[in-house]
Amino acid sequence: MINKDDVIKILRKVVDPELGMDLVEANMVRDVEIYNGTVKITIALTSSSCPLMDKIKSEILNNVKNLQGVNEVEVITTTMSEDEVRKLFNKIRQRRMFQKLPKRNIKRIIAILSGKGGVGKSSITALLATALIKRKLKIGVLDADITGPSIPKIFGINSIPYVLEGKIIPPVSKTGIKIMSMNLIIGDEELPVIWRGPLVSNAITQFYMNVDWGELDYLIVDLPPGTSDAQLTVMQSLPLDGVIIVTSPQELAGIIVSKAVNMSMMLGVTIIGVIENMSYVKCPNCGKEIRIFGDSKGKLLAEKMNTKFLGSVPIDPVLSNACDNGTIEDYNNEEIWNIIEKALDMII
Amino acid sequence: MINKDDVIKILRKVVDPELGMDLVEANMVRDVEIYNGTVKITIALTSSSCPLMDKIKSEILNNVKNLQGVNEVEVITTTMSEDEVRKLFNKIRQRRMFQKLPKRNIKRIIAILSGKGGVGKSSITALLATALIKRKLKIGVLDADITGPSIPKIFGINSIPYVLEGKIIPPVSKTGIKIMSMNLIIGDEELPVIWRGPLVSNAITQFYMNVDWGELDYLIVDLPPGTSDAQLTVMQSLPLDGVIIVTSPQELAGIIVSKAVNMSMMLGVTIIGVIENMSYVKCPNCGKEIRIFGDSKGKLLAEKMNTKFLGSVPIDPVLSNACDNGTIEDYNNEEIWNIIEKALDMII
């Protein structure tokens, strides 16, 4: 006896190549009638002029006729209502939204996140990348801050990426870090990129997929402030290994950083650890540590979110200067490099 | 003799209330035939089941039959093609995008902009609002940073806005500043608002239109970092009197701030002046001024963009503390209030 469930099982293997979805999941199977060894299947297509109709039909025929007991297979096609088509396309869009891009030739992808602007995400990104390349690892930095990119300036990069065989070849920093950023493309670094969310998301996806990153040990993604399009795209589409949270001692910053932390948790992204930046500044005159933004709260934040506290980085006017002059890779404050090295030891 | 142009002129006065566009502009007039005092008009509607069909028809009839020489008017309806409907809706969307919202009962609307995060936009917003209300003016603050709102925390506001007769009644600060912010709505201030651009834009528009701001002398809009949806919505839709730019001495910040300045210029928004924040910190031990982020560049930026330099605000750990504790209105550093007062004198 032919079983209706067996027919359905086979229809689950027939994929509409345009939709990237099987006939059952796409709600295209409308009826399966079985009588005397004849199987009559009714399929609803998205359009009566579906160019793949014949392909889908013949695939159904070929598969179903192999079922034991089947003498004849008949496929009847109809079309979906406008409402059904809309629902299906919404379903596909959502699935694509949550589908991760491939890992490419990159061992680990880590995003640097804070939610709040101005806590020094980009400086921390640059310090981490520089410390990693000193360990003889292959490193790339993807600047996902499309409307406020800082990375090229910090590394002193002015060269424009060029395109070779359809791939964007990223500029390389003095010590060999591959870098991609919106500011490398627009030329004039003061020119605004006035883009609404979908364009921002597209640019980030392209920076990941269309750039020839080659083989990398680490790709570090510098995220802009907020919990909107850029963060959603990076967390949902990029195959992230995790995020490092950058915070500052200010309680106000802590609240906004917590939003980003909670966003990561909601989206199932691993939180690798917390770095506190701008913890204090040493008076160059008398040597006193001044806690400009209040007492350190990074350790508490890390405990609260059950992750590692990776260290406190002080404010150093020389570091700020190195970021302005594009000489971060020559920056030689031993105290700060030690903090960064220790942080790396905890996560690498 | 009836003239075709006269008929068209009349059809320009018939507005489709749903589209907010007249029939000619909406490309709905398909044909006008005139013979022996009879006018036959063919109109294409967006849908065959257009609920306003009768209303539009009778408005055409009533208007055209008053033309001299017209004996009879006949209106024939047809429907637009899908492509035509799409084009029309795009046109409407674009028009709405560039159409300013009404000024309401507000004398001046000023946005605080920096492009770069963490330069202290929200503290400056709060200082300006507090100084203005001390001058016996009626003040509101609209926190347009939907994903990273700081304003309620700075003013120590926990009360939830309530709705009265369809209008949102904003909470009021200790000194009487009306405040609207996303954090007042979501309750838990650490809960992320994971919204893509269009939702962010909608929220800002609603904070402006659906909040009962009453009569105000100044509405100050605190903008998030970036040059994307939030900034576009505020600059394109709100009837702004101008923007005040907040920058910091770091060159890197300067570049990103310049992007926001250029965005304002491109969109024809007046730049009222530049305030430099975080200019230096005074060592509480030895009194030395430490320029953490390098030498002041705010004046130069103001000159470059041909606008006023409104002053340099130093870093003060007590101010940072007041922002964390929600006591900005009690903050009593005379030096900083003098700087803010002087800035106000230049712009008020």
Side-chain angles (χ1 to χ4, degrees), chain A residues 217-233:
Chain A
D217 291 301
Y218 282 86
L219 177 66
I220 303 182
V221 181
D222 187 22
L223 277 170
T227 52
S228 191
D229 299 82
Q231 296 76 17
L232 264 170
T233 301

Side-chain angles (χ1 to χ4, degrees), chain A residues 82 97 115-119 122-123 145-151 153-154 183 186 188-198 200-201 225-230 232-233 236 249-256 258-260 262-263 266-267 278 281-286 288 290-294 297 304 315-321 323-325, chain B residues 82 97 115-119 122-123 145-151 153-154 183 186 188-198 200-201 225-230 232-233 236 249-256 258-260 262-263 266-267 278 281-286 288 290-294 297 304 315-321 323-325:
Chain A
E82 271 185 45
M97 221 161 73
K116 175 96 175 73
V119 299
S122 301
S123 327
D145 195 345
I146 302 300
T147 64
S150 304
I151 294 294
K153 175 92 177 161
I154 293 178
N183 255 11
I186 54 174
D188 177 359
E189 59 187 6
E190 294 189 354
L191 206 70
V193 175
I194 311 174
W195 281 0
R196 289 193 180 268
V200 169
S201 291
T227 52
S228 191
D229 299 82
L232 264 170
T233 301
Q236 287 182 336
Q250 203 177 357
E251 211 176 287
L252 193 52
I255 288 177
I256 300 174
S258 294
K259 284 184 191 275
N262 287 327
M263 175 183 189
M266 285 175 183
L267 296 176
M278 305 189 160
V281 61
K282 248 187 205 159
C283 176
N285 195 39
C286 67
K288 190 180 162 67
I290 315 167
R291 300 207 160 261
I292 295 176
F293 298 115
K297 291 166 203 84
K304 204 172 121 189
I315 300 179
D316 176 14
V318 182
L319 173 59
S320 165
N321 214 25
C323 288
D324 274 355
N325 296 330
Chain B
E82 273 185 43
M97 219 159 76
K116 175 97 175 72
V119 299
S122 301
S123 326
D145 194 346
I146 303 298
T147 63
S150 304
I151 293 295
K153 174 92 178 159
I154 293 178
N183 256 10
I186 54 173
D188 177 359
E189 60 187 5
E190 294 189 355
L191 206 71
V193 175
I194 311 174
W195 281 1
R196 290 193 180 268
V200 169
S201 292
T227 52
S228 191
D229 298 82
L232 264 169
T233 300
Q236 287 182 338
Q250 203 178 358
E251 210 176 287
L252 193 51
I255 288 178
I256 300 175
S258 295
K259 284 183 191 276
N262 287 326
M263 176 184 188
M266 285 175 185
L267 296 177
M278 304 189 161
V281 61
K282 248 188 205 157
C283 176
N285 194 40
C286 67
K288 191 180 161 68
I290 315 168
R291 300 209 160 259
I292 295 177
F293 298 116
K297 289 166 204 84
K304 205 172 120 188
I315 299 179
D316 175 15
V318 182
L319 174 58
S320 165
N321 215 25
C323 288
D324 274 356
N325 296 330

Side-chain angles (χ1 to χ4, degrees), chain B residues 91-309:
Chain B
K91 194 173 173 182
I92 291 168
R93 205 165 41 229
Q94 278 190 353
R95 235 182 58 161
R96 285 199 184 145
M97 219 159 76
F98 291 103
Q99 215 168 26
K100 297 278 181 204
L101 294 168
K103 190 95 199 219
R104 308 202 59 193
N105 214 343
I106 302 169
K107 290 207 187 101
R108 285 185 86 189
I109 305 176
I110 292 176
I112 311 295
L113 178 72
S114 90
K116 175 97 175 72
V119 299
K121 255 182 328 288
S122 301
S123 326
I124 297 289
T125 301
L127 289 171
L128 289 171
T130 306
L132 281 166
I133 206 153
K134 280 184 190 159
R135 295 190 180 194
K136 310 265 176 254
L137 297 167
K138 296 189 192 78
I139 307 300
V141 174
L142 190 164
D143 188 353
D145 194 346
I146 303 298
T147 63
S150 304
I151 293 295
K153 174 92 178 159
I154 293 178
F155 282 101
I157 293 179
N158 300 308
S159 50
I160 295 166
Y162 63 96
V163 176
L164 189 73
E165 289 168 8
K167 282 279 171 199
I168 302 166
I169 310 297
V172 173
S173 80
K174 201 176 150 181
T175 61
I177 301 166
K178 291 181 182 169
I179 287 171
M180 192 60 209
S181 168
M182 199 63 205
N183 256 10
L184 297 173
I185 294 176
I186 54 173
D188 177 359
E189 60 187 5
E190 294 189 355
L191 206 71
V193 175
I194 311 174
W195 281 1
R196 290 193 180 268
L199 285 177
V200 169
S201 292
N202 265 347
I204 294 173
T205 308
Q206 285 185 23
F207 282 2
Y208 178 65
M209 285 305 289
N210 299 358
V211 168
D212 184 8
W213 292 107
E215 202 184 298
L216 289 183
D217 291 300
Y218 281 87
L219 177 66
I220 304 182
V221 181
D222 187 23
L223 277 169
T227 52
S228 191
D229 298 82
Q231 296 76 18
L232 264 169
T233 300
V234 169
M235 291 194 193
Q236 287 182 338
S237 305
L238 265 57
L240 284 187
D241 290 281
V243 293
I244 292 176
I245 307 288
V246 181
T247 186
S248 88
Q250 203 178 358
E251 210 176 287
L252 193 51
I255 288 178
I256 300 175
V257 172
S258 295
K259 284 183 191 276
V261 170
N262 287 326
M263 176 184 188
S264 317
M265 288 175 171
M266 285 175 185
L267 296 177
V269 174
T270 309
I271 296 165
I272 297 173
V274 175
I275 294 184
E276 184 171 270
N277 195 22
M278 304 189 161
S279 300
Y280 54 89
V281 61
K282 248 188 205 157
C283 176
N285 194 40
C286 67
K288 191 180 161 68
E289 282 186 10
I290 315 168
R291 300 209 160 259
I292 295 177
F293 298 116
D295 289 332
S296 178
K297 289 166 204 84
K299 207 166 177 174
L300 238 84
L301 185 69
E303 274 168 21
K304 205 172 120 188
M305 63 179 86
N306 218 359
T307 186
K308 289 177 194 158
F309 181 60

